[in-house]
Amino acid sequence: MTSTTSRPAEAEATRLVDYLAGELARSGVTHVFGVGGANIEDLYDAVHRGGAVRAVVAKHEFSAVTMADGYARTTRRLGVVAVTSGGGAMNLLPGLAEAHASRVPVLALVGQPPTGQEGLGAFQDSSGKGGSFDARDVFGPVSRFCARVEDADALPELLDRALTAARTHPRGPAVLLLPKDVQQARLPLPGRRPAPAGGAASAPAASVARLDPAGLTSVTQTLRGAGRVLVIAGEGVAADDARAELAELARRLGAWVAVTPDAKDVFDNRDPRFAGVAGVMGHSNVEDCLRRADVCVLAGTRLPLVARDGLDQALADTEVVCLGPEPAFVECTALGGDLREVLRTVAGRLPPLSRSCPRHAGPLPALAPDPAPRNTARTVPPRNTAPAVPPRNTAPTVPPRSTAGTVPYPQALAAVAAALPQDAHVFVDAGNAGAGAIHHLPAPRHGRFVVALGMGGMGYTFGAGIGAALATGRRTYVLAGDGAFLMHGMEVHTAVEHAAPVTFVIFNNNAHAMCALREQFLQGGIRGDDLFGRTDIAAAMAAAFPSLTVSHAADAAQLHKALLEGNEGAGPTFVALECDPQEIPPFRSFRSFAEAAAAPRTGDAADRPETESKESPHEQAIVRIG
């Protein structure tokens, strides 16, 4: 077979899909993720024949997109997903929406029925003809660029436009719709173009305007005159690989540094300047630092609501400076441009001496693992009974559940922290387990700590973690609850098939516990449909995948041991533990309820108004409802 990456310069003709596979390789793409089908099989054939790009077949198209997303976030290269028409194409939408909202460069190659069948009742027709809907109308809102390739000659230009759109601020998905006959068409090639500047591993292009001189002067003067500064850094720091520039700016400012919930890895969590996580799952120390600050600097974040929850009043009382390519959601003085350049230029205009930051409480550290064995007996609720639903006009109650054999989230996350390699990647899913990880688990010093907060879809981490592990070869931890696992956890099959170095840690509380807690606190009582009978996930996975190393951890010490053993292996490993669905996670909206549950209230004390503490009781002790 002849590789498409080593063709002679003279004019020739090749299949469009062979040209496309070669261009992906020349752009630095090493993997294409997806699910095959009749209307995309020619592209997979070309990828196989070319040999320069590896095809990874997922179990579901959503997970294929998240594989491309995780690939892009950990390599800073373009992630590519390829799927067939119809339902396969439609399954891309939630993953593309996440990449769009989180500014992740992804190229989606979507097969379509042959052009001669469009509008004539073709199977899975989405041409917009003959009463069918137009796929461009579907993908347009969740992409930076979307086009149908009507003939082979149009592909080179459309591909260039798609790649440019995906890599240009604001980054995001680009979609090319590829009819089957167009994929098979012959494409004349005038000769090879030069490879992209910077080689195969070059970072996504960032087309931004030059720094505004007046804005730069204004920002510099503001920062020079500030006594106390809080920097809140976001995911843009990781996307632009600007960690060193952020650290230098903080050093020269003598600033505290907080991070948004999706950017925990952009600043060393063990640095004395680290103030904690801002927002809904964060630490109250960030608010304290903000109230003491003369200036708040937003670096690589627009500060969406999830990152500023509880901070709006303090932000309104503080001068705010925003550095980065997109405007903030709060009133501020903005300096737009490439984030690395902005940070480097602003720092260069400050005195070069290192300044210590003022004293602060810092984020509460994770609890140490408890090596003592815990009671491992389990109580399995009867399958055919449901917890009673209390009347709306009565005080909410929680159906009693045994907590024997459950591991508190802080203890479990401390065990994860103790085992986590410092060059590993961590992908944190939605739910109570995710909130606990964001709050308690320090990010690895040399790896990513990814939380998909663009759309916050459950099950994102299973594909994303596999994509990251295959792209980088590094041990990658996936931290998810049973709800996320039951949605997309069968992507473990993909990890097993490709021997991906992924450690899956499943926090199983046999519930959609966050929903149950909201019912309990906000809707007058738990309905019962979010509390489930016990599922032995570890046993199920061991039976399904005999070659997979599977463990059930009855306590934090067993979890720690299983994780260390997994680190020593080359392929995937799977650990499940059981958690209490009544344990209150570190969400700000639950804080007052946690305090009420933890504090003894008798007599007149029951009528006292609730007040906020420095840290929620969940951070000081394990709190259960009921």
Side-chain angles (χ1 to χ4, degrees):
M1 299 179 198
T2 303
S3 170
T4 59
T5 60
S6 58
R7 296 184 180 277
E10 64 269 14
E12 57 180 303
T14 186
R15 290 188 306 171
L16 177 142
V17 288
D18 293 315
Y19 170 84
L20 179 53
E23 289 301 296
L24 293 178
R26 291 176 65 252
S27 297
V29 175
T30 59
H31 293 71
V32 170
F33 306 96
V35 180
N39 286 329
I40 200 65
E41 63 190 1
D42 296 286
L43 177 59
Y44 277 99
D45 176 69
V47 168
H48 174 74
R49 290 175 181 274
V53 178
R54 179 180 177 185
V56 177
V57 175
K59 310 288 94 61
H60 192 280
E61 291 83 2
F62 169 77
S63 292
V65 185
T66 66
M67 288 178 193
D69 181 300
Y71 173 103
R73 294 199 204 213
T74 50
T75 65
R76 300 182 57 248
R77 294 197 294 261
L78 180 75
V80 179
V81 59
V83 303
T84 194
S85 51
M90 296 302 101
N91 284 339
L92 292 177
L93 286 170
L96 293 179
E98 170 60 41
H100 183 280
S102 293
R103 311 305 196 242
V104 180
V106 170
L107 173 64
L109 303 171
V110 182
Q112 297 284 278
T115 55
Q117 299 178 8
E118 292 175 352
L120 300 175
F123 181 58
Q124 299 180 331
D125 188 3
S126 57
S127 65
K129 302 175 183 178
S132 66
F133 67 87
D134 193 330
R136 290 171 295 188
D137 295 336
V138 175
F139 290 112
V142 293
S143 64
R144 305 298 178 193
F145 177 83
C146 179
R148 187 186 305 276
V149 182
E150 303 286 359
D151 58 72
D153 292 340
L155 178 67
E157 178 187 352
L158 291 176
L159 179 61
D160 282 347
R161 291 175 63 188
L163 296 180
T164 299
R167 293 164 158 170
T168 301
H169 287 297
R171 303 182 184 107
V175 179
L176 290 179
L177 304 170
L178 302 168
K180 184 175 178 66
D181 58 320
V182 175
Q183 295 178 51
Q184 297 172 331
R186 308 294 291 184
L187 179 67
L189 299 178
R192 303 307 297 165
R193 294 175 296 166
S202 59
S207 176
V208 292
R210 294 175 62 86
L211 301 189
D212 173 53
L216 178 60
T217 298
S218 176
V219 166
T220 302
Q221 290 177 345
T222 296
L223 295 180
R224 278 179 171 269
R228 293 177 173 176
V229 178
L230 171 66
V231 176
I232 302 179
E235 163 68 15
V237 175
D240 285 353
D241 193 22
R243 293 177 179 84
E245 290 77 9
L246 171 67
E248 178 62 16
L249 178 65
R251 185 184 70 83
R252 294 193 181 198
L253 287 172
W256 302 298
V257 179
V259 295
T260 57
D262 59 346
K264 200 167 184 182
D265 60 318
V266 303
F267 191 80
D268 187 351
N269 293 185
R270 300 153 188 85
D271 190 290
R273 302 180 190 278
F274 184 61
V277 178
V280 66
M281 294 165 278
H283 304 94
S284 60
N285 180 59
V286 175
E287 182 179 357
D288 291 343
C289 290
L290 179 58
R291 293 190 182 282
R292 295 167 60 193
D294 301 309
V295 176
C296 176
V297 177
L298 307 181
T301 177
R302 303 179 70 190
L303 210 62
L305 187 59
V306 72
R308 72 174 192 273
D309 183 69
L311 302 180
D312 279 320
Q313 186 56 55
L315 287 165
D317 296 337
T318 307
E319 186 165 6
V320 179
V321 169
C322 179
L323 307 179
E326 294 190 75
F329 292 114
V330 297
E331 186 175 347
C332 65
T333 300
L335 180 60
D338 175 74
L339 185 59
R340 290 184 72 180
E341 180 185 359
V342 170
L343 292 173
R344 186 184 302 117
T345 303
V346 171
R349 294 197 171 197
L350 299 173
L353 297 178
S354 178
R355 294 171 53 190
S356 299
C357 71
R359 295 185 64 181
H360 63 116
L364 191 75
L367 302 177
D370 182 3
R374 294 168 58 89
N375 181 4
T376 59
R378 296 166 173 165
T379 299
V380 182
R383 287 282 182 176
N384 296 326
T385 62
V389 181
R392 289 285 180 169
N393 59 353
T394 64
T397 60
V398 175
R401 282 194 165 205
S402 171
T403 60
T406 63
V407 185
Y409 286 111
Q411 291 185 19
L413 292 164
V416 173
L420 184 66
Q422 289 304 298
D423 64 346
H425 302 304
V426 178
F427 283 78
V428 177
D429 220 298
N432 288 0
I438 291 169
H439 191 83
H440 290 288
L441 180 63
R445 284 190 170 93
H446 309 295
R448 290 300 325 267
F449 188 105
V450 177
V451 187
L453 289 180
M455 290 289 106
M458 293 173 67
Y460 161 89
T461 58
F462 293 94
I466 293 169
L470 292 176
T472 65
R474 297 191 195 179
R475 176 59 53 181
T476 300
Y477 275 47
V478 166
L479 309 181
D482 56 305
F485 170 81
L486 293 172
M487 289 189 179
H488 291 285
M490 283 299 103
E491 286 303 332
V492 170
H493 178 275
T494 308
V496 171
E497 287 291 300
H498 292 270
V502 182
T503 297
F504 298 96
V505 184
I506 309 302
F507 300 79
N508 181 13
N509 53 27
N510 294 294
H512 285 166
M514 186 186 300
C515 296
L517 292 178
R518 290 183 62 84
E519 295 162 16
Q520 164 75 5
F521 292 144
L522 306 176
Q523 295 188 319
I526 293 179
R527 295 186 295 271
D529 47 357
D530 285 311
L531 299 176
F532 313 137
R534 179 177 173 268
T535 301
D536 193 338
I537 294 176
M541 299 305 287
F545 304 108
S547 65
L548 177 65
T549 301
V550 179
S551 303
H552 177 273
D555 56 38
Q558 290 183 18
L559 174 61
H560 181 245
K561 180 176 182 292
L563 296 177
L564 290 178
E565 291 173 351
N567 293 344
E568 298 300 318
T573 187
F574 189 98
V575 186
L577 62 149
E578 298 204 18
C579 299
D580 182 359
Q582 299 175 35
E583 183 179 333
I584 302 177
F587 277 104
R588 181 180 176 86
S589 59
F590 290 165
R591 182 176 298 171
S592 61
F593 299 108
E595 291 171 351
R601 301 173 70 85
T602 59
D604 293 340
D607 298 325
R608 293 179 197 151
E610 295 165 338
T611 58
E612 288 194 357
S613 64
K614 297 283 290 181
E615 299 286 350
S616 75
H618 179 87
E619 299 160 333
Q620 302 163 13
I622 303 305
V623 180
R624 298 200 312 112
I625 319 167

